[in-house]
Amino acid sequence: VGLRLALVVRPMGPSSIALPTLFALGLVVGGCGVLVRDPGGGGQCSESPDDCSGDMICLGGYCAAAYPRTYDLSIDDVSLPSRDANNNCWDIPCGPPDPYVVVRLDGRDVGATDEASDTNEASWSDIFPVALNSGSRLELQLYDSDVDNDDLALACSSIPIDTELLRSRFVVCGDRGRGSYLHATITPRN
């Protein structure tokens, strides 16, 4: 015999259900979702490192469903070597590259950073909201902008996105110092 319980929680004013009652039910209400206790950890968790299990991530000190959820993606750092993978100069006459990053989700462009002109290292303050479901495919493509044809310097993807990557809170591609490198942060929204 199975028991199925459905609970609908709507935002209310100060007369809302008391927080201790929600703890007793095994639920804590977050900004726009319900955070469910993780049976292995009693519901409470740490975000650094994220110690939730299954398809759960730590959010606000409690394990919450990783999917479906919107995450904020930011490109923290990119680095390109002085020459491209074929040992050619990036720009004529042998100038530094003009990097930018394209963010794609499930084969569609989500956005792109601005071009950073004449530099081997760059970072941006752009935030790209990405709505992830189990099995979503996130691609980050690092390019050198050129007058005639942009050069792909690095492409990284996670096929499919998994909760281990989401719990780590970052994506790292490439090898700093040996080739093109990209570091991005992925932060869950409430």
Side-chain angles (χ1 to χ4, degrees):
V1 175
L3 175 65
R4 187 174 278 189
L5 172 67
L7 175 65
V8 176
V9 180
R10 292 187 175 93
M12 298 174 71
S15 63
S16 296
I17 298 173
L19 195 55
T21 303
L22 293 173
F23 276 107
L25 292 171
L27 303 170
V28 176
V29 178
C32 65
V34 175
L35 306 181
V36 182
R37 282 188 175 196
D38 177 5
Q44 295 185 344
C45 59
S46 169
E47 290 183 19
S48 182
D50 188 321
D51 57 1
C52 295
S53 60
D55 279 346
M56 307 289 270
I57 58 167
C58 190
L59 184 62
Y62 291 88
C63 294
Y67 316 104
R69 181 171 303 280
T70 298
Y71 292 79
D72 288 331
L73 179 80
S74 60
I75 310 300
D76 303 320
D77 183 29
V78 299
S79 176
L80 290 96
S82 57
R83 292 180 173 263
D84 70 15
N86 297 319
N87 203 29
N88 295 321
C89 295
W90 290 105
D91 291 338
I92 298 174
C94 219
D98 307 302
Y100 70 95
V101 176
V102 173
V103 177
R104 295 176 54 85
L105 180 64
D106 297 326
R108 293 182 308 270
D109 287 354
V110 171
T113 64
D114 291 331
E115 173 189 314
S117 190
D118 295 328
T119 184
N120 291 81
E121 297 190 13
S123 62
W124 294 269
S125 60
D126 305 42
I127 303 287
F128 300 98
V130 289
L132 299 179
N133 292 299
S134 180
S136 290
R137 181 178 172 192
L138 178 67
E139 299 173 69
L140 304 174
Q141 300 169 333
L142 173 60
Y143 287 93
D144 167 38
S145 177
D146 289 325
V147 174
D148 58 346
N149 192 23
D150 294 355
D151 300 316
L152 180 63
L154 179 68
C156 53
S157 60
S158 177
I159 309 169
I161 290 287
D162 61 21
T163 50
E164 185 176 327
L165 178 121
L166 297 175
R167 282 190 207 111
S168 75
R169 303 288 200 271
F170 61 89
V171 177
V172 175
C173 305
D175 188 3
R176 182 183 283 285
R178 292 189 178 177
S180 298
Y181 169 86
L182 182 146
H183 182 281
T185 300
I186 187 161
T187 308
R189 290 186 179 179
N190 285 332

